[in-house]
Amino acid sequence: MAVKESHHRHYQAKQIPLFPLLSLICFVSIFLALSVFYKTSVIPRPHQTFQFINGVKSDRSKAAGGDSCDYSDGSWFHDPNLRTSRYDHTCKEIFKGWNCFAANKSNALEITNWHWKPEQCDLPHFDPVSFLEKFRNTNIGFVGDSLNRNMFVSLFCSLKRVPGEVKKWRPAGADRGFSFLKYNLTIAYHRTNILARYGWWSANADGGPLESLGYKEGYRVDVDIPDSSWMEAPNFHDVLVFNTGHWWWAPSKFDPVKSPMLFFEKSLPVIPPVPPDVGLDMVLKHMAEDLFSLTNNRTNVEVRLVNEHLFKALSGTSFHILNITPMSELRADAHPASAGGKKHDDCMHWCLPGLTDTWNDLFIQHLYNIRR
């Protein structure tokens, strides 16, 4: 595969952050990362970052938004008289497999009777009008696999209830997107499985380093080149929400024998070849260093494995970390399961309306704290 060199140079030249900030949400082999950018060259203000790691807040400065609450540390409460959803199953953007009400999932309505209560503070009820007003003239991009689309759709359906013209628009290579014209606010979803560029690789008849080791085919992963679907996203969006992880351990796609991941750096194969966990470290290292200048003891084995790599890759940088793993693990009831229409139970995505709306509650409150 080839990529235009000018695009790669353009990507490397970008960006200066509005705040030295990345908000990270870890869950079932994913992370969601928030970064806010200026579109012009402005020197970021120092000492305005804090972190949430494993539910413990680590203050780097008391001036970091003025709010010391860890919204990810709390409990679920059930109230049969409460409906926490702010939209219903008729939102046309909801993927069929996630529409649990339309699919007649037995507890589809019950899912929205649960609300999240942080341990040391209150989580304000999401007001879409206030959000649109506060974030006028803002572009928000979701970059990642279908779990990020899950969150993108939740936010869209919440905002769509506000009167005003909404126009479909796919900016900067996005898979889908919408612009709320009255507020000049755009949200978009950029589909990418592993963040880095990858494609099918076959052995060269003339031989090479991989061929000499017996490799005949597999997937070439360029650890230092972003996938084309989001390469231009940092040039357009003010806020970026990233996720990755699920696809890195997907044997049906990247079979370690029949179709292994073969990592390349600076267009050369990494010799000796490395396993996916090392490749993930390499991709995260390049994406964090090139784009922005993650140890969880309460999760299952797969989640803990991915989270360790995420925290390690971003250790020492100026990041906000908002961890939704524990809160989500308690809500197995909120998966589509067999109602998703697949041949197997869907226990990775989430019903909409449902749990993902709470992800956005925390995400939006985090944005409010940053903008204060």
Side-chain angles (χ1 to χ4, degrees), residues 77-97:
F77 289 89
H78 182 265
D79 184 346
N81 300 313
L82 177 69
R83 289 280 185 264
T84 58
S85 59
R86 51 252 186 184
Y87 59 93
D88 59 34
H89 71 286
T90 61
C91 180
K92 295 182 179 180
E93 190 64 15
I94 300 177
F95 181 66
K96 181 180 178 181

Side-chain angles (χ1 to χ4, degrees), residues 252-327:
S252 61
K253 180 70 172 181
F254 303 113
D255 186 283
V257 176
K258 298 179 181 179
S259 55
M261 284 179 159
L262 301 171
F263 298 98
F264 284 66
E265 187 172 22
K266 296 181 179 179
S267 297
L268 299 175
V270 175
I271 302 296
V274 297
D277 60 331
V278 177
L280 173 60
D281 287 340
M282 297 176 72
V283 168
L284 293 174
K285 173 179 177 290
H286 280 286
M287 297 305 148
E289 288 186 353
D290 293 344
L291 182 60
F292 304 109
S293 236
L294 272 146
T295 71
N296 195 321
N297 296 321
R298 295 167 60 188
T299 62
N300 60 42
V301 175
E302 291 80 8
V303 180
R304 187 180 303 117
L305 176 62
V306 173
N307 286 355
E308 286 175 356
H309 289 276
L310 298 177
F311 279 97
K312 182 174 70 173
L314 301 178
S315 176
T317 59
S318 298
F319 289 64
H320 293 297
I321 299 176
L322 186 62
N323 183 4
I324 63 168
T325 299
M327 69 181 297

Side-chain angles (χ1 to χ4, degrees), residues 9-20 35-44 230-240 242 287-293:
R9 287 199 303 266
H10 185 61
Y11 166 76
Q12 290 179 318
K14 186 67 177 166
Q15 301 257 347
I16 294 178
L18 170 59
F19 296 109
S35 183
V36 184
F37 295 104
Y38 274 139
K39 288 190 178 144
T40 57
S41 296
V42 178
I43 299 175
W230 70 275
M231 182 179 287
E232 298 299 327
N235 299 318
F236 177 82
H237 294 293
D238 304 290
V239 178
L240 287 173
F242 287 83
M287 297 305 148
E289 288 186 353
D290 293 344
L291 182 60
F292 304 109
S293 236

Side-chain angles (χ1 to χ4, degrees), residues 131-151:
F131 178 83
L132 287 166
E133 288 284 359
K134 189 174 184 68
F135 290 93
R136 281 180 177 270
N137 308 312
T138 302
N139 302 318
I140 300 174
F142 292 79
V143 178
D145 58 34
S146 55
L147 280 169
N148 238 11
R149 180 181 174 184
N150 212 205
M151 187 175 178

Side-chain angles (χ1 to χ4, degrees), residues 15-314:
Q15 301 257 347
I16 294 178
L18 170 59
F19 296 109
L21 151 74
L22 193 70
S23 171
L24 194 57
I25 306 172
C26 305
F27 180 66
V28 282
S29 299
I30 73 164
F31 75 90
L32 304 172
L34 154 73
S35 183
V36 184
F37 295 104
Y38 274 139
K39 288 190 178 144
T40 57
S41 296
V42 178
I43 299 175
R45 285 174 281 180
H47 309 304
Q48 291 192 309
T49 63
F50 59 91
Q51 292 184 315
F52 296 104
I53 301 178
N54 297 333
V56 178
K57 181 174 183 290
S58 173
D59 281 305
R60 294 187 183 178
S61 169
K62 293 296 183 181
D67 195 330
S68 61
C69 180
D70 180 355
Y71 292 99
S72 65
D73 180 21
S75 303
W76 288 104
F77 289 89
H78 182 265
D79 184 346
N81 300 313
L82 177 69
R83 289 280 185 264
T84 58
S85 59
R86 51 252 186 184
Y87 59 93
D88 59 34
H89 71 286
T90 61
C91 180
K92 295 182 179 180
E93 190 64 15
I94 300 177
F95 181 66
K96 181 180 178 181
W98 307 337
N99 199 325
C100 295
F101 184 88
N104 295 316
K105 190 173 189 288
S106 61
N107 69 330
L109 288 177
E110 182 78 3
I111 289 172
T112 60
N113 289 139
W114 292 87
H115 66 280
W116 179 252
K117 175 64 175 66
E119 192 70 28
Q120 299 178 347
C121 58
D122 291 321
L123 180 62
H125 182 70
F126 173 57
D127 183 343
V129 175
S130 296
F131 178 83
L132 287 166
E133 288 284 359
K134 189 174 184 68
F135 290 93
R136 281 180 177 270
N137 308 312
T138 302
N139 302 318
I140 300 174
F142 292 79
V143 178
D145 58 34
S146 55
L147 280 169
N148 238 11
R149 180 181 174 184
N150 212 205
M151 187 175 178
F152 160 78
V153 172
S154 167
L155 180 59
F156 168 75
C157 292
S158 300
L159 298 177
K160 182 66 169 61
R161 300 295 293 271
V162 178
E165 186 177 356
V166 180
K167 179 182 178 181
K168 285 186 176 182
W169 186 32
R170 299 190 295 175
D175 179 72
R176 58 208 321 107
F178 298 91
S179 181
F180 296 81
L181 300 184
K182 179 180 177 180
Y183 303 92
N184 192 30
L185 181 143
T186 295
I187 64 173
Y189 166 63
H190 299 255
R191 170 77 188 192
T192 178
N193 294 333
I194 61 174
L195 296 182
R197 185 184 74 177
Y198 77 95
W200 189 248
W201 175 89
S202 296
N204 192 314
D206 296 330
L210 291 173
E211 290 83 349
S212 67
L213 296 174
Y215 287 92
K216 296 181 179 180
E217 55 188 11
Y219 282 92
R220 169 173 173 165
V221 180
D222 287 281
V223 300
D224 51 350
I225 301 177
D227 188 11
S228 61
S229 64
W230 70 275
M231 182 179 287
E232 298 299 327
N235 299 318
F236 177 82
H237 294 293
D238 304 290
V239 178
L240 287 173
V241 183
F242 287 83
N243 91 296
T244 194
H246 168 70
W247 282 79
W248 286 89
W249 282 269
S252 61
K253 180 70 172 181
F254 303 113
D255 186 283
V257 176
K258 298 179 181 179
S259 55
M261 284 179 159
L262 301 171
F263 298 98
F264 284 66
E265 187 172 22
K266 296 181 179 179
S267 297
L268 299 175
V270 175
I271 302 296
V274 297
D277 60 331
V278 177
L280 173 60
D281 287 340
M282 297 176 72
V283 168
L284 293 174
K285 173 179 177 290
H286 280 286
M287 297 305 148
E289 288 186 353
D290 293 344
L291 182 60
F292 304 109
S293 236
L294 272 146
T295 71
N296 195 321
N297 296 321
R298 295 167 60 188
T299 62
N300 60 42
V301 175
E302 291 80 8
V303 180
R304 187 180 303 117
L305 176 62
V306 173
N307 286 355
E308 286 175 356
H309 289 276
L310 298 177
F311 279 97
K312 182 174 70 173
L314 301 178

